[in-house]
Amino acid sequence: MSTDVTFPGSATGVVDVGLQLRALIDAGQADLPLPGQGRTLARWAALAAIAAQDLSLVKLFEGHTDAMAILAEAGQSPATGPRQIHAAYGMWAAEPPGARVHFRPTSGGAAEGTIVLSGTKAWCSGAAALDRALLTVWPENTGSDGQDGSGGGPGSRMSI
């Protein structure tokens, strides 16, 4: 991976991390080797190169590349953003106690087959700079201990 990207605002010393992320995506530098394909070192080296430039940027960059890997593993294509290029994604999975997002499927009516989300996602790094995000959610009847309402094993967890 080349790290020869000139970031908007870098000449003035004021750099918008969202614009930096977009520059990396636009330049194809966010197309990292996928996890589990034997190229972990190359993936980590690309992340380290960005971290060496800006730790705030690598936080967003890693979230984007993690989201791309999750979509690829799920057999989904990323959405396109402005100018028909990949949208800038985040991956929000951190969950402090008491701050979870729950889901429940709808039933009946025009909303049949949709999912309703409720709750709090405490940390949403880069929200203002991103086009989309994947986040972890829990079934509505799952307690804070990860147990489902039936008292059985761990509740189902999904990313959407």
Side-chain angles (χ1 to χ4, degrees):
M1 173 184 142
S2 169
T3 58
D4 297 333
V5 174
T6 301
F7 296 119
S10 59
T12 65
V14 177
V15 181
D16 181 314
V17 176
L19 292 176
Q20 288 181 318
L21 176 64
R22 176 55 60 197
L24 290 169
I25 294 168
D26 290 353
Q29 292 189 348
D31 300 331
L32 301 185
L34 296 174
Q37 296 186 346
R39 300 196 52 219
T40 302
L41 185 57
R43 185 176 181 85
W44 287 354
L47 292 169
I50 301 302
Q53 294 178 41
D54 187 323
L55 292 176
S56 296
L57 175 59
V58 80
K59 177 79 173 159
L60 299 185
F61 185 73
E62 182 179 25
H64 174 81
T65 59
D66 286 352
M68 294 298 98
I70 291 165
L71 289 172
E73 186 174 333
Q76 301 294 313
S77 297
T80 55
R83 302 179 312 278
Q84 297 302 309
I85 57 172
H86 285 156
Y89 276 78
M91 178 61 230
W92 303 329
E95 295 176 337
R100 278 192 173 167
V101 175
H102 290 89
F103 72 92
R104 70 175 167 78
T106 60
S107 58
E112 178 75 33
T114 61
I115 295 174
V116 175
L117 301 177
S118 62
T120 301
K121 193 51 97 169
W123 295 295
C124 301
S125 298
L130 302 174
D131 301 308
R132 297 174 174 263
L134 304 183
L135 64 145
T136 54
V137 298
W138 296 79
E140 192 170 61
N141 64 346
T142 303
S144 62
D145 60 357
Q147 300 295 312
D148 65 24
S150 68
S156 300
R157 183 174 175 182
M158 66 185 277
S159 293
I160 58 171

